[in-house]
Amino acid sequence: MASRAAGKAGGKAIARAPRETTHEGFLTHKRSRWLKIALFLSALSIAIYVLTDPQPRANGGSVAGYALGTLGALLIIWLSLIGLRKRIITTKPYSLKGWTSAHVYLGLSLVVIGTLHTGFQLGWNVHSAAYVLMMFVIISGIYGIIAYARLPEQLSANRNEATQPQMLEAIRALDRQLDTAAQPLGKEEADIVRLSLEKTDIGGNLWQRLTGRQPNCGTMRARDAIQALVNLQMRTGKPDQRLTQILFLLERKDAALAQARRHIRMKTQLEIWLYLHVPATFALLAALIAHILSVFLYW
Amino acid sequence: MSFVVRQIAKRADGGDIIRTRTLDIAEITVGRGTDCDIQLADLGVMLRHARLLQLSDGTVAIQSTGGIPLEIDGKFVSRADLSVADNPVINIASHRLSLSKGDAPGSIAITAERVIAATDAADAASETGIFSLRETMPSKRGLAWVLAGLVLIIGLALPLFMMGGSDLPADMVAAASRPTGDGATRLQPALGGDDVKKTGYSADMVWTSGPLSTAHAGLSNNCGACHSQPFVSVTDSACVSCHKPDAVPDHASADRMATGRLPAGGFEAGIHKGLNLPEGRCASCHKEHEGPRGALMVAASFCTDCHTGLSGRLKDTKIANVPNWDDHPQFKPTLVTVASLTAPKFERVSLGDKPVERSGLVYPHDIHQSATNSVGNMVQKQGLAAGPNGALACSYCHTPDSDGVRFKPIEMEKNCGDCHDLAFAKDGGIVRTLPHGKPEQVAGIIRDFYLGQALNPRAGVQRLAFERRAPGKMAELEAADLRITSVGEARARGDAAIAQIFGANGKAGGLCSDCHIVNNTGAPNVAERFTIAPVTLASHYLPKGQFPHGQHKTYDRKTGDAACVACHKGVMTSKVSTEVLLPSITQCRDCHGSTNVATNVAATCNTCHGFHYGEGGQGGDIGTSPHRKPAKPATVAARALPVKLGSAEPVGAKARRAGV
Amino acid sequence: MLGGKQGVSERYRIAIVGSGPAGLSAAAHAAKLGISHVLLEKTGHLSDTIYKYQKGKHVMATPSQLVLRAGGGLQFEPGKRETILGIWDEMTAAGKVNVKLNAEIKSITGTGDPIPGSIQKISVRKRDGTTDINELQRLAPPYKLVMTSGEEIIADTVILAIGTQGNPNLLACPGAEKPHIQYQLDDPAAYNDEHIFVYGGGDAGIENALGLAADAAQGNIVTLMNRGAEFNTAKDANVKALFAARDAGRISIMTETSPRAVENKWVVLDTRDGEVRAQCDRMIARIGSAPPRGFVEACGVEFASADRLAFPKLSAVFESTAPGIFVVGALAGYPLIKHCMNQGHDVVEFINGNTDLKPADEPILEAKFRGLPGGKSVSEWLEYLRSNVGILEGMSVLQMREFMLDSEARAYRAGEVIFERNAPGSSLFGIADGQARVEINPNDPSITVPIGKGEIFGEVGLISGRRRGATVRAGTDCVLVEISRSAALKLMSAVPAASREVTRITTLRSLLQIFKSGLNADDLTDVVGSAKVETIRAGQAIIKEGETGDDIYIIRSGSMIVEKTIGGKPVFLSYVPAGSYVGEMAVIDGDPRSATVRAAVKSDVIKLEGASFRSLLAAKPELLARLRNDMASRTQLNTFIESKKDSFGGVVEMYSGIANFLVDNGVGEATDVLLIDEKLCVGCDNCEKACADSHDGLSRLDREAGRTYAHLHVPTSCRHCEHPHCMADCPPNAIHRGPTGEVYIDDTCIGCGNCQRNCPYGVIRMDKVPPKKPWLLNWLLFGQGPGPGEPDKKWSYKHAKKGVEAPKKAIKCDMCTGQSGGPACVRACPTGAAIRVSPEQFLSVALLDRGGE
């Protein structure tokens, strides 16, 4: 019986599995251990580059060149493995945070290692292509670091304890209320409300997501139109109660949309770079294969 | 007369809610308004949208009251009479009214249901996708495949497919294989990178690790030309296919190179061994893809690496070890030990060991460098090239070759003939000259001359005398008594003349013995009594190195002959031609690699030597100095001095005539 | 109303009340044995409890190793609710079982002469808290059973198998009998276009109201009435949803309202602003339900104690204190279907005179006693334990049997470790034979205190739910009975003496443990004598700053927070876990209280009077010294906070803000809680994915949901409470605290959903294991399958094995036990936003630095 087993085991004070209780982000993981390692690697590479004087000039073909190249290639392969590490959930102790930290700093050190490996010789060939791809990946990664460092705080502030389904549900609820509130209205007014009900795209296309702005959002247009109507009636006399009610609803929906769109904007900014970083990485791996193979094919 | 209205609402979980009302009236209204009999909560519907009027049993008139045409069975009309029997369907915005016969007699059933789901039908949970980019962007996976695929195709697949080379451009092959003997056919200008148009695209060009040297630029789209086998570093065979060995001779034979080379060691060598990159390939020194200038990889220690301890490895070598310039051994000129027409003998003797050259020629430099003696007079009288002091210029005999590196071979007619003409008799206007280089004929010619006079004496025939005298002062010898009475007398006088001309017993005054060593064999037949020792002139004393004389014309701020004798000391006093007048290496060190900064000039090995001189030296290699000009291998000419028959008059003769 | 027909009442040998598994099986068996019987069911169908399970629910048969001994060959295999009910209906029909549906029994009284000296005292608690005792003279069988319809039945013996469901409380107002008033809601979708009033602000009421209003298409106009102004009995989530629905205009809420009278189509309501008459097509009253106890007691059946967990006193053959009335099934303390059916069978056998029938759980008990020295039989063992372990006296054989099902009997050799210091464990140990030694000084094992035969130990773990305070070894070879927490609680409610004893010992021991300076029991007698156990509501203060008073409080269970008012604001000073004590300062220096102490969660404290305590201190100077040390450290903290306050006040506010926030979110009663620093969280949900992938495809945590304060987020995931609410009511007792302190559900779970309902933090979900996902690389490279994390419902449904019935089971965080890497959510967080901490770790001044950010 399970409880029996548990009972007998209960006697022993079994140490809890090790766990991350130190509260430090991936940039400062283990007191920036990986930053130090990365700096050391870079320094080492520079030393190699400066201290060796290959004939006729520095390039990937010299001993130092091959050394740096091997180091770089291994790094690139290892760095690209984070995609696997992130998804393969093993039971053994590991810290993805540690991996991220290493990924970030070693990735940055590649700027030095890779560039020195080229010996500052670039041209229209597969070798330079690999280098350019690498730099592209790294630069997109740098954006990622910045995004990861800055956005989460705003994200949580904007979310304000609302979950994504809740945000949507809030909008949907307002839609339902609008729909019912608009029932007694005449065609023109009803059509204005329909603008908001049917012509409102929360997410929008990539640009709208990135900016979080949707100039011709149905809801805004509807709100302005109703606002105009109400103002008109104000001048002539007492505004239509139903319209003011709808205006109120539209304003609330507008606010809800704004929050959702801010959320989307930041989520997008947090995700977008991966759509460059990851594919470019695979292109880089391909280029790396071509680079290495071709070097030895045409020796 | 009644309508049975069945309004169907969809439940969230899919089920239907059917609300049925029976209206016992003949006319009902349809619309969004609360006062309508059939209320459709749909903003697309007008407040009062349509009116249904039960005309007779089974027919209904429907009329749009909202100003919007009604869609009835697909057609848009503002009013219509419908027969209930054929169950008509009316679409209003997102709702549908379908009419049919009711169960009660005369009643009409109207089923109203929403056919297009309301906006909020979609449940929020399923839409959370809009918060991630997944639905806006193409999948990372797809992008990755495309990009990686593209790179692999362009960067790997295509090149692999189109790998290998086309045949080499003929002009390049020609240029490369042309012997680089004379400067006209240099490689560089022939194939200046830019005038070679890089025609054609080849997929494997993307594999290039950098631009080719101008010389090879023409191969930019022809990788296979050099990279013949995959995964094998460029082999010499590839280079040699254009650069033929006779154009670019080996430094030494491959095996001797192998044994002589300093055994490679250390990390790099280990790698090379591991990667099957043998030492001593062309590519070990000639690195390509290093930009237009190309790159010959020559370390400072390039030569001395091997030559410091060469003898240790290459036991039978004749070459002394050269650790560096300061310890460079004394020059060992190649000297003639045995002059011979057929098989002369040479020997390299260090200048330090009192070298003696036995060229077989008699030439006292001092006499010829005097401005006051008969030579000096000759120079003046005949206006020969003279130095500032009026003496005969060095360059009169030692004429530089086109490159100003070395000198043209000395020829008797050109360099000696003006003074040392071989005129022998005068017959009227004709001067008879003895042939140079054919001593066996000379005796015959003379004897025949006297016999001729004996048998058929003619006036006006004179014999010319040979002893040097002031020009013009020459008097016809025997002019009077050339009347010979008997054959016997003729023979006696002829023999005397022969002996005199050869200068018997080496005594001076003889015509030949001025420059040649004449032997008296004492043979009874006077015609065979005298022989001339053979002459062999070395054309290149230091074949393994080169000394660009042209660049040293102003040595020690001197000019002309002064500059020459500044190095070739002893020329002015040299009485015999067995002396070797080459400057010693210390002479070179005055400037080259000297401690005196003012005069210090570079002294790297290839200032004088070249790698591709070939084993005999003087190979086709041009080294690095464009002024260098290689000579043919040290060939030696044994020259007899031919007598020109009936050619241009000897100068001496002219002089004499002038005196007439 | 006795207006029903008053016909001659048939007479049976056995009347079985309740057609649940127990009753059904009993009836079936009686039918098989050809005994004249009747099965009385108050509803219109058999076994109402199972009938009320949601449609298609998978019903399980645990404990698996228990043999089924269903009467009349009644079958029971795990399966769909429908199938099981179907089979039972067939078999009762086939077995010629005499069933009476819609027969709700109102009363059971003996018809024979009064049984001399057999008088039952029934205590009835009234609103004002006082209780008065009614006395009931038992009458001998045969019994007369009166139904609500007025029909009567005479039976020699009665088997009460009515379960614990009880009856809903009824409306008391005029018109309460009207047909459109109902007390439960089976299918919310069944009603359209009605004005519906739901009465009752509990979870049941709110859920019903939401269900009725969920779908606008149904066009119901729903109003929720609540007597109180607040909804404090309902779950937070439910209340949120309710207000959301109100804001969306789908529900109207009337608080401080109760029905005055119900008319046809209308209802009259008492509201704060007077009487309101409203249209009402249907009223659903969910105002709690009365446990069947009252009815049962009225039948003359006596309960073990006044505790609400108590069960009827029963003989070895299930006979109650009323001769001829037998109690079986859940009401007898056996909630599992198998147990019930077995007892149904057994009780009929007993009634039929087969007294030497061995109960079905015999093999289980044999297994438990196997390997113990002395080779006694099960009944001998039970008797041995009962008579030797003090607190077990006063238990019936039957109770002992049931008790042993949840407990363990073990033999230890001298010196063998029974449990170690800091080992988690909430079980109680009783010494049946031999002696145990407690190592009171962790640094010096040689110092031990003996615990003799018949005594108990481990009670601190039982009460406080915290890790063991000291290592206990077997002093001599000994035989112990380890009483699991659930068994111990049952025991304490069944045997009042036992609970008193446990309390006394706890007090004594916790005192000894706190002031470990050579005190012994008799030093403390008068202090303990003065000790009072008090239960403190969450948020209630036991000590108020500035007040005078010299009582000392030992926190027995729960936890407290200490606050100090600085600059008009309460500042969080420290977090006081169970097992520690507060209030000693005043005793020592006599000053007024320097800080306020509030209960973070519902807690038990032991209150010691200052006077007796001071005399103790006078007698024990070294104890005084010890207290002064502690005091020093606490005053240090105070001054530290003060200084911080002066230097940068914001920090302190932030600190106490966060601390209070965490306490409000149940971190106070947590042992290990997942926190997310939203300054770092990028919302990649890798924690959820990792959780799902390391727990057969189901995530046990919802990152996004949950409260947030100062970017510190408490996601919806298990806090592994000290006293897990989920454990409270688990029929198969499948929830345990594991060796590393985690609370986990083992695979005997029957998916009843009690734990889900009981968890105040909504971290338990009922779900079935999704189908296997394709290999990860197939997804990475070719996009096969749903990818990492929990597959969406559509995919799981599409790829589920057809025809295989996957049961829904309760799943919750198990702290990734057995994974050497520790919690996957923390391991898999790429930015270090996710951290798991225990409150002691986190509710510390260390927070000040974080606040400084």
Side-chain angles (χ1 to χ4, degrees), chain A residues 4 11 19 90-91 100 156, chain C residues 408 420 672 678 711 821 827 830:
Chain A
R4 184 191 186 88
R19 58 176 49 186
T90 53
T91 63
T100 323
S156 102
Chain C
E408 299 292 324
E420 289 173 350
D672 181 282
E678 291 207 330
H711 300 296
R827 269 183 291 145

Side-chain angles (χ1 to χ4, degrees), chain C residues 18-27 46-50 70-71 74 76 88 161 328-329 335-345:
Chain C
S19 71
L24 206 52
S25 135
L46 293 178
S47 61
D48 185 49
T49 309
I50 297 178
L74 204 62
F76 172 54
W88 286 354
V328 291
L336 292 179
I337 296 177
K338 259 183 167 178
H339 282 143
C340 295
M341 300 184 78
N342 289 349
Q343 291 173 354
H345 167 275

Side-chain angles (χ1 to χ4, degrees), chain C residues 591-846:
Chain C
D591 297 349
R593 304 291 195 185
S594 61
T596 302
V597 181
R598 288 196 292 107
V601 293
K602 179 168 171 296
S603 318
D604 284 359
V605 296
I606 303 171
K607 181 177 177 186
L608 306 171
E609 270 157 19
S612 58
F613 197 78
R614 229 186 258 102
S615 54
L616 172 66
L617 288 184
K620 295 276 168 190
E622 68 272 27
L623 178 55
L624 185 61
R626 192 184 140 64
L627 287 181
R628 286 202 182 285
N629 289 348
D630 297 11
M631 193 169 135
S633 63
R634 292 195 187 180
T635 25
Q636 254 174 1
L637 178 60
N638 290 10
T639 44
F640 174 67
I641 295 284
E642 293 276 9
S643 65
K644 280 279 185 185
K645 175 65 189 173
D646 305 337
S647 52
F648 38 98
V651 177
V652 176
E653 277 165 33
M654 167 70 78
Y655 160 63
S656 43
I658 291 176
N660 287 324
F661 161 74
L662 290 175
V663 169
D664 294 347
N665 284 276
V667 178
E669 66 178 314
T671 63
D672 181 282
V673 62
L674 175 64
L675 297 177
I676 290 179
D677 178 357
E678 291 207 330
K679 284 179 175 170
L680 291 171
C681 176
V682 296
C684 64
D685 279 336
N686 215 41
C687 40
E688 290 186 18
K689 293 181 184 138
C691 185
D693 286 349
S694 52
H695 297 88
D696 47 33
L698 290 172
S699 169
R700 281 105 161 91
L701 97 111
D702 181 346
R703 175 193 59 80
E704 216 181 1
R707 305 292 318 283
T708 308
Y709 178 84
H711 300 296
L712 190 63
H713 181 64
V714 184
T716 306
S717 80
C718 181
R719 294 131 165 76
H720 302 276
C721 306
E722 285 159 353
H723 288 302
H725 305 262
C726 49
M727 271 192 200
D729 177 18
C730 176
N733 193 12
I735 307 181
H736 315 275
R737 189 179 286 281
T740 56
E742 78 282 4
V743 176
Y744 69 97
I745 305 179
D746 69 29
D747 46 18
T748 61
C749 169
I750 58 169
C752 64
N754 287 356
C755 46
Q756 186 184 27
R757 279 187 288 282
N758 288 337
C759 176
Y761 307 110
V763 302
I764 302 181
R765 53 186 283 207
M766 314 296 301
D767 218 327
K768 51 181 74 168
V769 176
K772 189 115 181 54
K773 288 186 291 189
W775 192 36
L776 175 65
L777 278 188
N778 293 12
W779 174 81
L780 266 180
L781 299 176
F782 314 113
Q784 282 181 20
E790 182 169 332
D792 56 28
K793 289 271 162 286
K794 281 202 208 67
W795 186 88
S796 315
Y797 181 76
K798 198 156 146 290
H799 294 75
K801 275 217 196 63
K802 298 284 165 274
V804 184
E805 176 58 29
K808 279 194 175 180
K809 292 194 169 191
I811 57 168
K812 68 176 283 301
C813 168
D814 62 358
M815 235 147 81
C816 291
T817 344
Q819 300 191 31
S820 52
C825 44
V826 177
R827 269 183 291 145
C829 178
T831 62
I835 48 175
R836 269 193 168 279
V837 292
S838 57
E840 292 90 330
Q841 276 170 291
F842 208 81
L843 293 174
S844 67
V845 188

Side-chain angles (χ1 to χ4, degrees), chain B residues 475-555:
Chain B
E476 288 75 18
L477 177 68
E478 296 175 351
D481 59 352
L482 257 184
R483 281 183 228 86
I484 299 173
T485 56
S486 74
V487 173
E489 181 188 4
R491 176 165 291 126
R493 290 194 45 187
D495 292 357
I498 292 171
Q500 182 199 14
I501 285 173
F502 273 98
N505 316 336
K507 111 177 195 330
L511 187 59
C512 301
S513 59
D514 274 354
C515 309
H516 291 284
I517 301 162
V518 180
N519 303 327
N520 181 347
T521 58
N525 178 352
V526 75
E528 300 158 0
R529 191 175 301 149
F530 302 101
T531 60
I532 290 185
V535 171
T536 299
L537 296 182
S539 75
H540 197 173
Y541 285 104
L542 301 170
K544 294 210 179 286
Q546 288 196 347
F547 180 78
H549 283 89
Q551 291 176 22
H552 294 75
K553 280 184 185 151
T554 60
Y555 171 69

Side-chain angles (χ1 to χ4, degrees), chain A residues 112-129:
Chain A
V112 178
I113 298 170
T115 312
L116 294 183
H117 173 61
T118 66
F120 304 96
Q121 296 182 43
L122 293 180
W124 295 104
N125 53 47
V126 69
H127 317 291
S128 300

